[in-house]
mmCIF file of all heavy atoms in Angstrom:
data_model
loop_
_atom_site.group_PDB
_atom_site.id
_atom_site.type_symbol
_atom_site.label_atom_id
_atom_site.label_comp_id
_atom_site.label_asym_id
_atom_site.label_seq_id
_atom_site.Cartn_x
_atom_site.Cartn_y
_atom_site.Cartn_z
ATOM 1 N N LEU A 289 28.189 365.064 121.053
ATOM 2 C CA LEU A 289 28.537 366.421 120.706
ATOM 3 C C LEU A 289 29.055 367.210 121.911
ATOM 4 O O LEU A 289 28.605 366.976 123.025
ATOM 5 C CB LEU A 289 27.315 367.176 120.144
ATOM 6 C CG LEU A 289 26.773 366.743 118.821
ATOM 7 C CD1 LEU A 289 25.574 367.596 118.475
ATOM 8 C CD2 LEU A 289 27.807 366.812 117.727
ATOM 9 N N ARG A 304 14.349 377.777 113.072
ATOM 10 C CA ARG A 304 13.572 377.068 112.060
ATOM 11 C C ARG A 304 12.103 376.988 112.456
ATOM 12 O O ARG A 304 11.188 377.279 111.682
ATOM 13 C CB ARG A 304 14.158 375.679 111.844
ATOM 14 C CG ARG A 304 13.499 374.864 110.773
ATOM 15 C CD ARG A 304 14.230 373.509 110.647
ATOM 16 N NE ARG A 304 13.660 372.697 109.607
ATOM 17 C CZ ARG A 304 12.673 371.835 109.817
ATOM 18 N NH1 ARG A 304 12.159 371.665 111.015
ATOM 19 N NH2 ARG A 304 12.185 371.153 108.794
ATOM 20 N N GLU A 311 14.855 375.347 106.748
ATOM 21 C CA GLU A 311 16.137 375.092 107.423
ATOM 22 C C GLU A 311 16.481 376.237 108.375
ATOM 23 O O GLU A 311 16.036 377.351 108.220
ATOM 24 C CB GLU A 311 17.250 374.929 106.399
ATOM 25 C CG GLU A 311 17.454 376.072 105.451
ATOM 26 C CD GLU A 311 18.534 375.800 104.385
ATOM 27 O OE1 GLU A 311 18.704 374.645 103.977
ATOM 28 O OE2 GLU A 311 19.198 376.783 104.013
ATOM 29 N N SER A 331 11.553 387.189 96.012
ATOM 30 C CA SER A 331 11.622 387.204 94.554
ATOM 31 C C SER A 331 12.974 387.740 94.069
ATOM 32 O O SER A 331 13.455 387.362 93.022
ATOM 33 C CB SER A 331 10.493 387.994 93.947
ATOM 34 O OG SER A 331 10.525 389.326 94.372
ATOM 35 N N GLU A 354 34.125 379.383 114.935
ATOM 36 C CA GLU A 354 34.556 378.158 115.613
ATOM 37 C C GLU A 354 33.753 376.974 115.165
ATOM 38 O O GLU A 354 34.252 375.858 115.098
ATOM 39 C CB GLU A 354 34.403 378.331 117.142
ATOM 40 C CG GLU A 354 35.339 379.316 117.734
ATOM 41 C CD GLU A 354 35.166 379.426 119.235
ATOM 42 O OE1 GLU A 354 34.159 378.892 119.795
ATOM 43 O OE2 GLU A 354 36.000 380.070 119.880
ATOM 44 N N GLU A 369 28.757 374.468 102.881
ATOM 45 C CA GLU A 369 30.000 373.859 103.419
ATOM 46 C C GLU A 369 31.192 374.760 103.144
ATOM 47 O O GLU A 369 32.059 374.930 103.990
ATOM 48 C CB GLU A 369 30.200 372.476 102.824
ATOM 49 C CG GLU A 369 29.125 371.509 103.300
ATOM 50 C CD GLU A 369 29.150 370.161 102.579
ATOM 51 O OE1 GLU A 369 29.690 370.082 101.478
ATOM 52 O OE2 GLU A 369 28.605 369.212 103.148
ATOM 53 N N ALA A 372 31.248 377.959 105.469
ATOM 54 C CA ALA A 372 31.641 377.607 106.828
ATOM 55 C C ALA A 372 33.160 377.377 106.889
ATOM 56 O O ALA A 372 33.832 377.879 107.823
ATOM 57 C CB ALA A 372 30.894 376.358 107.297
ATOM 58 N N VAL A 382 25.526 368.884 110.673
ATOM 59 C CA VAL A 382 24.187 368.796 110.103
ATOM 60 C C VAL A 382 23.307 367.923 110.974
ATOM 61 O O VAL A 382 23.732 366.835 111.395
ATOM 62 C CB VAL A 382 24.219 368.230 108.654
ATOM 63 C CG1 VAL A 382 22.829 368.160 108.076
ATOM 64 C CG2 VAL A 382 25.138 369.072 107.789
ATOM 65 N N THR A 388 18.752 365.390 115.851
ATOM 66 C CA THR A 388 19.680 364.288 115.805
ATOM 67 C C THR A 388 20.770 364.577 114.752
ATOM 68 O O THR A 388 20.458 364.758 113.585
ATOM 69 C CB THR A 388 18.966 362.963 115.444
ATOM 70 O OG1 THR A 388 17.945 362.706 116.389
ATOM 71 C CG2 THR A 388 19.955 361.822 115.394
ATOM 72 N N ARG A 390 23.444 364.239 111.939
ATOM 73 C CA ARG A 390 23.649 363.319 110.844
ATOM 74 C C ARG A 390 25.083 363.280 110.388
ATOM 75 O O ARG A 390 25.516 362.372 109.707
ATOM 76 C CB ARG A 390 22.758 363.691 109.672
ATOM 77 C CG ARG A 390 21.286 363.546 109.943
ATOM 78 C CD ARG A 390 20.457 363.588 108.704
ATOM 79 N NE ARG A 390 20.786 364.637 107.777
ATOM 80 C CZ ARG A 390 19.972 365.639 107.458
ATOM 81 N NH1 ARG A 390 18.771 365.739 107.962
ATOM 82 N NH2 ARG A 390 20.359 366.562 106.563
#
Side-chain angles (χ1 to χ4, degrees):
L289 293 180
R304 183 179 182 268
E311 57 184 34
S331 60
E354 292 180 349
E369 294 171 339
V382 180
T388 302
R390 293 195 315 244

